Coordinates of all heavy atoms in Angstrom, one line a residue:
A197 N -2.1 8.1 -26.2 CA -0.7 7.5 -26.4 C 0.4 8.3 -25.7 O 0.1 9.4 -25.3 CB -0.4 7.4 -27.9
G198 N 1.5 7.7 -25.5 CA 2.6 8.3 -24.8 C 3.3 9.3 -25.7 O 2.9 9.6 -26.8
P199 N 4.4 9.8 -25.3 CA 5.2 9.4 -24.1 C 4.8 10.2 -22.8 O 5.5 11.2 -22.4 CB 6.6 9.7 -24.5 CG 6.5 10.9 -25.4 CD 5.2 10.8 -26.1
F200 N 3.8 9.8 -22.2 CA 3.3 10.5 -21.0 C 3.1 9.5 -19.9 O 3.1 8.2 -20.1 CB 1.9 11.1 -21.2 CG 1.9 12.1 -22.3 CD1 1.4 11.8 -23.6 CD2 2.5 13.3 -22.2 CE1 1.4 12.7 -24.7 CE2 2.5 14.3 -23.2 CZ 2.0 14.0 -24.4
V201 N 3.1 10.0 -18.6 CA 3.0 9.2 -17.5 C 1.6 9.5 -16.9 O 1.2 10.7 -16.8 CB 4.1 9.4 -16.4 CG1 4.1 10.9 -15.9 CG2 3.9 8.5 -15.2
R202 N 0.8 8.5 -16.7 CA -0.6 8.6 -16.2 C -0.7 8.0 -14.8 O -0.4 6.9 -14.6 CB -1.5 7.8 -17.1 CG -3.0 7.9 -16.8 CD -3.8 7.0 -17.6 NE -3.7 5.6 -17.3 CZ -4.2 5.0 -16.3 NH1 -5.0 5.6 -15.5 NH2 -4.0 3.7 -16.1
P203 N -1.2 8.9 -13.9 CA -1.4 8.4 -12.5 C -2.6 7.4 -12.5 O -3.5 7.5 -13.3 CB -1.8 9.6 -11.7 CG -1.4 10.8 -12.6 CD -1.4 10.3 -14.0
L204 N -2.6 6.4 -11.7 CA -3.7 5.4 -11.6 C -4.8 6.2 -10.9 O -4.7 7.0 -10.1 CB -3.3 4.2 -10.7 CG -2.2 3.3 -11.3 CD1 -2.1 2.1 -10.4 CD2 -2.5 2.9 -12.7
T205 N -6.0 5.7 -11.3 CA -7.2 6.2 -10.6 C -7.3 5.5 -9.2 O -6.7 4.4 -9.0 CB -8.5 5.9 -11.4 OG1 -8.6 4.4 -11.5 CG2 -8.5 6.5 -12.8
D206 N -8.1 6.0 -8.4 CA -8.4 5.4 -7.1 C -8.9 3.9 -7.3 O -8.4 3.0 -6.6 CB -9.3 6.2 -6.2 CG -9.5 5.6 -4.8 OD1 -8.5 5.5 -4.1 OD2 -10.6 5.2 -4.5
R207 N -9.8 3.7 -8.2 CA -10.3 2.4 -8.4 C -9.2 1.4 -8.9 O -9.1 0.3 -8.4 CB -11.4 2.5 -9.5 CG -12.1 1.2 -9.7 CD -13.2 1.4 -10.7 NE -13.9 0.1 -10.9 CZ -14.9 -0.1 -11.6 NH1 -15.4 0.9 -12.3 NH2 -15.5 -1.2 -11.7
E208 N -8.3 1.9 -9.8 CA -7.2 1.0 -10.2 C -6.2 0.7 -9.1 O -5.8 -0.5 -9.0 CB -6.4 1.7 -11.3 CG -7.1 1.8 -12.6 CD -6.4 2.7 -13.6 OE1 -6.0 3.8 -13.3 OE2 -6.3 2.3 -14.8
V209 N -6.0 1.6 -8.2 CA -5.1 1.4 -7.0 C -5.8 0.4 -6.1 O -5.1 -0.6 -5.6 CB -4.8 2.7 -6.3 CG1 -4.1 2.4 -4.9 CG2 -3.9 3.6 -7.1
R210 N -7.0 0.5 -5.8 CA -7.7 -0.3 -4.9 C -7.9 -1.8 -5.4 O -8.1 -2.7 -4.6 CB -9.1 0.3 -4.5 CG -8.9 1.5 -3.5 CD -10.3 2.1 -3.2 NE -10.1 3.3 -2.4 CZ -9.9 3.3 -1.1 NH1 -9.8 2.2 -0.4 NH2 -9.7 4.4 -0.5
A211 N -7.7 -2.0 -6.6 CA -7.8 -3.4 -7.2 C -6.7 -4.2 -6.7 O -6.8 -5.4 -6.7 CB -7.8 -3.2 -8.8
W212 N -5.5 -3.6 -6.3 CA -4.4 -4.4 -5.9 C -3.9 -3.9 -4.5 O -3.1 -4.6 -3.8 CB -3.2 -4.4 -6.8 CG -2.8 -3.0 -7.2 CD1 -3.3 -2.2 -8.2 CD2 -1.8 -2.2 -6.6 NE1 -2.7 -1.0 -8.3 CE2 -1.7 -0.9 -7.3 CE3 -0.8 -2.4 -5.6 CZ2 -0.8 0.1 -7.0 CZ3 0.1 -1.4 -5.3 CH2 0.1 -0.2 -6.0
A213 N -4.4 -2.8 -4.0 CA -4.1 -2.2 -2.7 C -5.5 -1.8 -2.1 O -5.8 -0.6 -2.2 CB -3.1 -1.1 -2.7
P214 N -6.2 -2.7 -1.5 CA -7.6 -2.3 -1.0 C -7.8 -1.1 -0.1 O -8.8 -0.5 -0.2 CB -8.1 -3.6 -0.3 CG -7.2 -4.7 -0.9 CD -5.9 -4.1 -1.2
T215 N -6.7 -0.7 0.6 CA -6.8 0.4 1.5 C -6.7 1.7 0.7 O -7.0 2.8 1.2 CB -5.7 0.5 2.5 OG1 -4.5 0.6 1.9 CG2 -5.7 -0.8 3.4
G216 N -6.2 1.6 -0.5 CA -6.0 2.9 -1.4 C -4.7 3.6 -1.0 O -4.4 4.6 -1.5
Q217 N -3.9 3.0 -0.1 CA -2.6 3.6 0.3 C -1.6 2.5 0.2 O -1.1 1.9 1.2 CB -2.7 4.1 1.8 CG -3.6 5.2 1.9 CD -3.6 5.8 3.3 OE1 -3.0 5.3 4.3 NE2 -4.2 7.0 3.5
P218 N -1.2 2.2 -1.1 CA -0.2 1.1 -1.3 C 1.2 1.4 -0.7 O 1.6 2.6 -0.8 CB -0.2 1.0 -2.8 CG -0.5 2.4 -3.3 CD -1.6 2.9 -2.3
T219 N 1.8 0.4 -0.2 CA 3.2 0.5 0.2 C 4.1 0.1 -0.9 O 3.6 -0.5 -1.9 CB 3.5 -0.5 1.4 OG1 3.3 -1.8 1.0 CG2 2.5 -0.2 2.6
Y220 N 5.4 0.4 -0.7 CA 6.3 0.0 -1.7 C 6.3 -1.6 -1.9 O 6.3 -2.0 -3.1 CB 7.8 0.4 -1.3 CG 8.8 -0.1 -2.3 CD1 9.2 0.7 -3.3 CD2 9.4 -1.3 -2.1 CE1 10.1 0.3 -4.2 CE2 10.4 -1.8 -3.0 CZ 10.7 -1.0 -4.1 OH 11.7 -1.4 -5.0
A221 N 6.2 -2.3 -0.8 CA 6.1 -3.8 -0.9 C 4.9 -4.2 -1.7 O 5.0 -5.2 -2.5 CB 6.2 -4.4 0.5
Q222 N 3.8 -3.7 -1.5 CA 2.6 -4.0 -2.2 C 2.7 -3.7 -3.7 O 2.3 -4.5 -4.6 CB 1.3 -3.3 -1.7 CG 0.9 -3.8 -0.4 CD -0.3 -2.9 0.1 OE1 -0.2 -1.7 0.3 NE2 -1.5 -3.5 0.3
W223 N 3.3 -2.6 -4.0 CA 3.5 -2.1 -5.4 C 4.5 -3.1 -6.1 O 4.2 -3.6 -7.2 CB 4.0 -0.7 -5.4 CG 4.4 -0.1 -6.7 CD1 3.6 0.1 -7.8 CD2 5.7 0.3 -7.1 NE1 4.3 0.7 -8.8 CE2 5.6 0.8 -8.4 CE3 7.0 0.2 -6.5 CZ2 6.7 1.2 -9.1 CZ3 8.1 0.7 -7.2 CH2 7.9 1.2 -8.5
A224 N 5.6 -3.4 -5.5 CA 6.6 -4.3 -6.1 C 6.0 -5.7 -6.3 O 6.2 -6.3 -7.3 CB 7.8 -4.3 -5.2
D225 N 5.2 -6.1 -5.3 CA 4.6 -7.4 -5.4 C 3.6 -7.4 -6.5 O 3.5 -8.4 -7.3 CB 3.9 -7.8 -4.1 CG 3.3 -9.2 -4.2 OD1 4.1 -10.2 -4.4 OD2 2.1 -9.3 -4.0
A226 N 2.8 -6.4 -6.7 CA 1.8 -6.3 -7.8 C 2.4 -6.3 -9.1 O 1.9 -6.9 -10.1 CB 0.9 -5.1 -7.5
L227 N 3.6 -5.6 -9.2 CA 4.3 -5.7 -10.5 C 4.9 -7.0 -10.8 O 4.8 -7.6 -11.9 CB 5.4 -4.6 -10.5 CG 5.0 -3.1 -10.7 CD1 6.2 -2.2 -10.4 CD2 4.3 -2.8 -12.0
D228 N 5.5 -7.6 -9.8 CA 6.1 -8.9 -9.9 C 5.1 -10.0 -10.3 O 5.4 -10.9 -11.0 CB 6.9 -9.4 -8.6 CG 8.2 -8.6 -8.4 OD1 8.7 -8.0 -9.4 OD2 8.7 -8.6 -7.3
T229 N 3.9 -10.0 -9.7 CA 2.9 -11.0 -9.9 C 2.0 -10.6 -11.1 O 1.1 -11.4 -11.4 CB 2.0 -11.2 -8.7 OG1 1.4 -10.0 -8.4 CG2 2.9 -11.7 -7.5
E230 N 2.3 -9.6 -11.7 CA 1.5 -9.1 -12.9 C 0.0 -8.7 -12.5 O -0.9 -8.7 -13.3 CB 1.5 -10.0 -14.1 CG 3.0 -10.1 -14.6 CD 3.1 -11.0 -15.8 OE1 2.1 -11.4 -16.4 OE2 4.3 -11.3 -16.1
T231 N -0.2 -8.5 -11.2 CA -1.5 -8.0 -10.7 C -1.7 -6.6 -11.2 O -2.8 -6.1 -11.6 CB -1.6 -8.1 -9.2 OG1 -1.4 -9.4 -8.8 CG2 -3.0 -7.6 -8.7
L232 N -0.6 -5.9 -11.3 CA -0.5 -4.5 -11.8 C 0.1 -4.6 -13.1 O 1.3 -5.1 -13.2 CB 0.3 -3.6 -10.8 CG 0.4 -2.2 -11.1 CD1 -1.0 -1.6 -11.3 CD2 1.2 -1.4 -10.1
H233 N -0.6 -4.1 -14.1 CA 0.0 -4.3 -15.5 C 0.8 -3.1 -15.9 O 0.7 -2.0 -15.4 CB -1.2 -4.5 -16.5 CG -2.0 -5.7 -16.2 ND1 -1.6 -6.9 -16.4 CD2 -3.3 -5.8 -15.6 CE1 -2.5 -7.8 -16.1 NE2 -3.5 -7.1 -15.5
F234 N 1.7 -3.4 -16.8 CA 2.5 -2.3 -17.5 C 1.7 -1.7 -18.6 O 0.9 -2.4 -19.2 CB 3.8 -2.9 -18.0 CG 4.9 -3.1 -17.0 CD1 4.9 -4.3 -16.1 CD2 5.8 -2.2 -16.7 CE1 5.8 -4.4 -15.1 CE2 6.8 -2.4 -15.7 CZ 6.8 -3.5 -14.9
P235 N 1.9 -0.4 -18.8 CA 1.1 0.3 -19.9 C 1.7 -0.1 -21.2 O 2.6 -1.0 -21.4 CB 1.4 1.7 -19.6 CG 2.8 1.8 -18.9 CD 2.8 0.5 -18.1
A236 N 1.1 0.5 -22.2 CA 1.5 0.3 -23.7 C 3.0 0.8 -23.9 O 3.5 1.6 -23.1 CB 0.6 1.0 -24.6
R237 N 3.6 0.4 -25.0 CA 4.9 0.9 -25.3 C 5.0 2.4 -25.4 O 4.0 3.0 -25.8 CB 5.3 0.3 -26.6 CG 5.7 -1.2 -26.5 CD 6.0 -1.9 -27.8 NE 6.9 -1.2 -28.7 CZ 7.2 -1.5 -29.9 NH1 6.8 -2.7 -30.4 NH2 8.1 -0.9 -30.6
G238 N 6.1 3.0 -24.9 CA 6.2 4.4 -24.9 C 5.4 5.1 -23.9 O 5.3 6.4 -24.0
C239 N 4.8 4.4 -22.9 CA 4.0 5.0 -21.9 C 4.5 4.7 -20.5 O 5.2 3.7 -20.3 CB 2.5 4.6 -22.0 SG 1.8 5.0 -23.6
G240 N 4.0 5.4 -19.5 CA 4.3 5.1 -18.1 C 3.1 5.3 -17.2 O 2.1 6.0 -17.6
N241 N 3.1 4.8 -16.0 CA 2.1 5.0 -15.0 C 2.8 5.4 -13.7 O 4.0 5.2 -13.6 CB 1.3 3.8 -14.8 CG 0.3 3.4 -15.9 OD1 -0.1 4.3 -16.6 ND2 -0.1 2.1 -16.0
C242 N 2.0 6.0 -12.8 CA 2.6 6.3 -11.5 C 1.5 6.2 -10.4 O 0.3 6.2 -10.8 CB 3.2 7.6 -11.5 SG 2.1 9.0 -11.6

């Protein structure tokens, strides 16, 4: 549980950015389309 920030694993990143090197645009799109999920309350990811 939080209040901590957890970096994504390589596998989690490649699920929405297949090269493993996501751009800002890919990240914003993944958040907007809910391809990339938000964590639980009081938590963060990076």
Side-chain angles (χ1 to χ4, degrees):
F200 301 105
V201 62
R202 183 186 70 81
L204 295 186
T205 64
D206 184 61
R207 184 177 184 177
E208 289 173 312
V209 171
R210 289 180 183 276
W212 54 275
T215 66
Q217 293 186 348
T219 64
Y220 177 89
Q222 286 176 301
W223 174 67
D225 183 61
L227 289 171
D228 286 343
T229 61
E230 298 181 13
T231 303
L232 183 56
H233 300 286
F234 280 83
R237 285 172 50 182
C239 296
N241 287 336
C242 71

